[in-house]
Amino acid sequence: MTDSETETISVAEISDGPGGEGTEEPGTTVDLPVVDILTGRGFVTGKSGSGKSNTASVIIENLLSANFPVLIVDTDGEYYGLKQEFELLHAGADDECDIQVSPEHAERLATLALEQNVPIILDVSGYLDDAASDELVTEVAKHLFAKEKKLKKPFLMLIEECHEYIPEKGGMDEAGKMLIKIGKRGRKHGLGVVGISQRPADVKKDFITQCDWLVWHRLTWRNDTKVVGRILGSEYADAIEDMGNGEGFLVTDWSESIRRVQFHKKQTFDAGATPGLDDFERPDLKSVDGDLVSDLKEISDEKARQESRIADLRQELDKKDARIRQLERELEEAQDLSRMADQFAQAMFQKAEAPYRGGGRNLNRPTEKQAALGEYNERAEGEPADAATDGDAYDGDGGTGNADDAPPRQPLEAPSGPPWPTHGLLSERDDAAADGATTADAAADPTDDESWLADAKMGDFEPAELHPAPGAESRRDVVDRMTAIVEALGDAHHGMLAHYRERGVSDPLAAHVAAGETGDQHLAYGRNRSLRRAGFIRHAGRGKYEYALPDLVSDEYADLLDEDELRETVAAIEASFVEEEADGE
């Protein structure tokens, strides 16, 4: 048997009191075999302040003094005090650590620990994301286990707050599963593990019952003392509640005994002690050799370069995606405007082929209002009506009759302002920029996916009987034509138009939401643009738009309608979208 196999470390003395077997005199030194500690499975427990972390530190101090490597998973940042006497690599997430590490560093950390005999404190207390710290612990444990299969070098991995990784209740994550695997199979490879917890009831019992050595410090919670009674016996469950600080039951397989012992006090700075009123003085800590972390820093630098490159690529991708969405919106707008223009032209030409009433519009004429008023003046002077009419004329009572019965009329002057089509769908310029629309409106693109022009209805609306006004196209024809344009729009447009009708003045986003649609600004302004180009609304300044259908109708008739006739005509057109709004409610 070699010296290393028989080497021991002194950690405690036999304590006097109930619970121990009493085979040794109080004050007798308690030694632990190094190989069994390094390669076995241990468990140290006790309530807060009972001395469990002190016991773990005493064992670690003795191992480090004998140049045996360890890796400590520190969940509370309380083991860096070991650097007061020993040169350990303090790796974690805080700036106070020797090196900031991530899962990418796991293999290098395992290499330093096993091949270069570097003791490591893996401080996971500074990670804000539990998933990141768990992944780091998992990867380090995996690489330690894999390397030990070849090296078979005695090595101890200490896990603080082990109930967080191997809980009694609930599922375990990858870190817990890896630690259980080390507990079951690590010994044959030389890899030992010891778990530290203040709540034995919360630790998976399969782990506790398979441990080679255990230390039970003071416990008072009923659930925890029940665990002691189940594993050690009822007399120990009763005695454990009255133990002093640093005192505990030591159970080892190699001695097949239960001893009540008083552990030594740790020699290094106690970073885990409860803060008191005295000034806190951080001791001088040993610096780690710069060569030990050079490779780790290279890994960090390479990771930073990769993350920077990924960020650049993601930014480029976002720009390309944004450009694709913009081009798609422009394409949809062009397609929608093309279909709407075709629909409008079809409606206009169908009406142009209908009987010409009282000097109304004719698309074959160079200008519409001037042509209509010119014919009105010609007929007022007794000249024959245009051959395109069907002989019907205003009969003076709101109906139609023979042209010879028409009363004499006075010539009218053409009003100023462009004819209706320049308000609407065939305009090739953006009215928003011309009338001072907001940047958001001018930049917005229609993205309506309803294909509202494809389902347009032509001529199936049946308004109340309306009579032509003097010098104007039949009001029924105009209502049919405008109604066809309205119906060429989608439900969302109808809801927005109803909102503008109700409010008078509003903004596109409010109208879009009022129509039961989303708060998507691009979609709202795109649909608003269709209403504006059709002439149903107009820009009112400061990003607001106002309802313009009454003025559009009045302009269509060259201001020849009186108030009642205008109101009736507008109401007949509005029925095509107001009724739909009422049905939707």
Side-chain angles (χ1 to χ4, degrees):
M1 184 176 291
T2 64
D3 291 341
S4 61
E5 291 177 337
T6 60
E7 189 170 350
T8 62
I9 54 175
S10 179
V11 298
E13 296 175 351
I14 298 296
S15 176
D16 188 18
E21 293 182 343
T23 57
E24 297 175 285
E25 292 294 325
T28 303
T29 301
V30 176
D31 296 329
L32 301 179
V34 171
V35 172
D36 289 315
I37 296 296
L38 289 175
T39 62
R41 291 159 294 187
F43 180 62
V44 180
T45 186
K47 68 180 300 183
S48 178
S50 64
K52 64 182 184 303
S53 294
N54 176 79
T55 297
S57 294
V58 169
I59 294 174
I60 296 298
E61 286 176 351
N62 278 273
L63 291 174
L64 293 176
S65 297
N67 294 319
F68 290 108
V70 295
L71 185 143
I72 303 167
V73 178
D74 186 359
T75 58
D76 293 317
E78 60 185 17
Y79 282 87
Y80 70 86
L82 291 167
K83 288 172 66 68
Q84 184 181 13
E85 297 292 337
F86 306 100
E87 186 176 341
L88 294 92
L89 175 64
H90 187 196
D94 295 334
D95 292 337
E96 294 182 350
C97 297
D98 297 320
I99 184 72
Q100 284 77 50
V101 295
S102 62
E104 287 78 10
H105 297 83
E107 184 176 5
R108 181 55 183 166
L109 289 172
T111 299
L112 287 173
L114 292 176
E115 297 180 12
Q116 295 182 238
N117 211 40
V118 177
I120 296 175
I121 301 172
L122 189 60
D123 188 348
V124 297
S125 64
Y127 292 92
L128 300 179
D129 185 2
D130 290 341
S133 64
D134 288 351
E135 184 181 0
L136 176 60
V137 172
T138 303
E139 292 302 314
V140 170
K142 283 181 179 179
H143 285 289
L144 287 175
F145 186 82
K147 289 179 179 297
E148 279 286 55
K149 290 176 67 175
K150 296 180 179 179
L151 295 175
K152 297 188 181 299
K153 175 182 180 180
F155 184 89
L156 179 64
M157 184 177 186
L158 184 146
I159 313 294
E160 267 285 356
E161 304 295 344
C162 66
H163 57 269
E164 295 183 2
Y165 299 101
I166 46 176
E168 172 66 9
K169 297 180 180 179
M172 284 188 297
D173 57 17
E174 291 301 315
K177 293 176 182 178
M178 193 64 226
L179 294 177
I180 290 293
K181 184 176 182 179
I182 292 175
K184 291 180 177 180
R185 301 170 53 191
R187 187 182 185 93
K188 66 176 65 176
H189 303 311
L191 180 60
V193 61
V194 55
I196 314 294
S197 175
Q198 59 182 326
R199 294 299 306 274
D202 294 339
V203 180
K204 192 170 184 62
K205 299 305 175 291
D206 288 347
F207 175 79
I208 297 177
T209 56
Q210 292 179 13
C211 286
D212 307 307
W213 61 276
L214 305 95
V215 178
W216 301 85
H217 288 286
R218 184 173 64 252
L219 294 166
T220 56
W221 287 97
R222 181 61 179 163
N223 286 345
D224 295 332
T225 58
K226 285 172 62 177
V227 176
V228 177
R230 220 167 35 241
I231 296 177
L232 303 183
S234 60
E235 61 175 307
Y236 298 99
D238 295 335
I240 202 169
E241 297 185 34
D242 300 322
M243 281 189 165
N245 292 342
E247 193 175 28
F249 291 121
L250 174 62
V251 183
T252 61
D253 283 359
W254 53 83
S255 65
E256 296 183 351
S257 63
I258 301 176
R259 291 174 284 181
R260 183 168 180 154
V261 302
Q262 179 70 47
F263 280 87
H264 298 158
K265 188 173 179 57
K266 63 185 295 187
Q267 299 301 307
T268 53
F269 173 67
D270 189 1
T274 302
L277 297 178
D278 298 333
D279 292 336
F280 172 79
E281 294 184 6
R282 184 184 178 96
D284 292 333
L285 305 177
K286 289 185 177 296
S287 299
V288 69
D289 187 347
D291 292 337
L292 295 179
V293 298
S294 59
D295 289 346
L296 294 172
K297 288 182 178 179
E298 289 182 6
I299 294 173
S300 298
D301 293 342
E302 177 61 25
K303 180 185 178 184
R305 287 192 293 270
Q306 290 179 354
E307 290 177 347
S308 177
R309 178 56 178 163
I310 290 173
D312 291 341
L313 292 174
R314 184 175 291 111
Q315 188 175 19
E316 292 180 11
L317 181 61
D318 291 341
K319 289 181 180 179
K320 293 183 183 297
D321 288 342
R323 179 56 179 162
I324 290 173
R325 290 193 296 270
Q326 179 184 356
L327 292 174
E328 288 175 343
R329 288 195 297 267
E330 291 177 357
L331 178 60
E332 288 184 18
E333 179 184 12
Q335 292 172 339
D336 288 345
L337 290 177
S338 176
R339 290 195 298 267
M340 196 169 182
D342 291 343
Q343 187 71 30
F344 176 78
Q346 181 182 0
M348 294 291 290
F349 280 117
Q350 285 180 352
K351 296 306 176 182
E353 294 173 356
Y356 194 78
R357 303 176 186 272
R361 296 175 181 268
N362 188 332
L363 293 181
N364 295 322
R365 303 191 176 198
T367 60
E368 297 175 348
K369 288 182 181 177
Q370 289 80 353
L373 294 177
E375 182 183 354
Y376 176 86
N377 292 337
E378 289 177 359
R379 298 184 69 178
E381 296 171 1
E383 296 183 7
D386 191 281
T389 67
D390 60 358
D392 292 337
Y394 183 77
D395 64 4
D397 296 322
T400 57
N402 197 298
D404 295 335
D405 297 329
R409 292 174 285 183
Q410 298 300 320
L412 297 175
E413 295 182 1
S416 60
W420 181 56
T422 61
H423 285 274
L425 308 175
L426 301 180
S427 175
E428 295 180 358
R429 64 181 181 84
D430 190 343
D431 302 280
D435 61 14
T438 62
T439 304
D441 179 35
D445 295 313
T447 56
D448 189 358
D449 59 359
E450 301 176 42
S451 301
W452 35 270
L453 285 169
D455 298 326
K457 300 178 181 178
M458 300 302 300
D460 61 351
F461 178 77
E462 295 294 340
E465 183 65 25
L466 298 170
H467 302 291
E473 181 182 352
S474 166
R475 276 199 285 156
R476 184 184 186 88
D477 291 342
V478 173
V479 168
D480 284 349
R481 176 159 46 82
M482 287 196 179
T483 297
I485 300 302
V486 172
E487 291 183 346
L489 301 170
D491 292 341
H493 299 81
H494 297 167
M496 293 176 69
L497 194 54
H499 174 79
Y500 280 117
R501 174 181 174 272
E502 177 184 353
R503 296 295 180 88
V505 177
S506 186
D507 63 86
L509 198 57
H512 199 246
V513 173
E517 301 296 320
T518 66
D520 187 310
Q521 186 176 17
H522 284 289
L523 199 55
Y525 276 88
R527 287 168 170 165
N528 196 76
R529 177 178 294 181
S530 298
L531 296 177
R532 176 174 51 78
R533 288 185 171 179
F536 298 143
I537 60 173
R538 60 170 169 260
H539 191 244
R542 296 182 179 274
K544 302 286 186 179
Y545 292 80
E546 63 181 348
Y547 188 57
L549 182 58
D551 291 342
L552 182 64
V553 173
S554 178
D555 185 55
E556 176 78 4
Y557 283 98
D559 302 321
L560 296 177
L561 298 179
D562 59 31
E563 291 185 4
D564 290 340
E565 292 172 330
L566 176 61
R567 186 166 49 253
E568 291 175 3
T569 305
V570 171
I573 299 171
E574 289 177 338
S576 62
F577 61 86
V578 172
E579 287 182 352
E580 286 190 6
E581 181 191 38
D583 292 340
E585 296 175 354

